[in-house]
Amino acid sequence: MRLVLGLMFGKSCIFCKIVRKQAPASIIYEDESTIVFLDLRPLNVGHTLVIPKAHYVDIFDIPEKELSQMHRVSKLVSFGVKKSYQS
């Protein structure tokens, strides 16, 4: 297990558990490298989390190709969230 900035990584990483379907999540999008799910404690209606399926310590460790895919997915999901919650 690895400790970085007070967070535990490895078997206890909640995001890894969500990716492995070992923790509950309301998944709204998934592809080979990215998963998107609703936040359990949303700050706003439609608050979603976009994460890579592989475990990385921080954004600086994510390979460019995966990071680019995450940004594409973020934009796609943002349009859907906006459309769903417009009055």
Side-chain angles (χ1 to χ4, degrees):
M1 188 162 323
R2 184 173 170 193
L3 189 64
V4 177
L5 297 177
L7 300 173
M8 292 183 159
F9 294 103
K11 291 182 181 180
S12 64
C13 174
I14 187 62
F15 298 115
C16 291
K17 288 180 180 180
I18 290 170
V19 168
R20 292 189 308 259
K21 311 294 194 282
Q22 295 173 338
S26 296
I27 298 169
I28 60 172
Y29 178 89
E30 184 173 5
D31 64 26
E32 62 282 342
S33 64
T34 307
I35 191 165
V36 182
F37 51 94
L38 296 174
D39 195 300
L40 286 178
R41 295 180 192 92
L43 297 177
N44 296 302
V45 175
H47 184 172
T48 57
L49 300 173
V50 179
I51 65 167
K53 284 187 170 181
H55 180 88
Y56 299 103
V57 173
D58 56 34
I59 195 168
F60 303 108
D61 289 340
I62 303 172
E64 192 66 34
K65 185 176 179 181
E66 285 185 54
L67 189 57
S68 294
Q69 176 62 10
M70 288 174 55
H71 282 276
R72 283 190 290 276
V73 169
S74 296
K75 185 174 181 180
L76 175 72
V77 170
S78 295
F79 282 124
V81 169
K82 183 178 179 181
K83 185 176 181 181
S84 294
Y85 292 104
Q86 282 181 335
S87 304

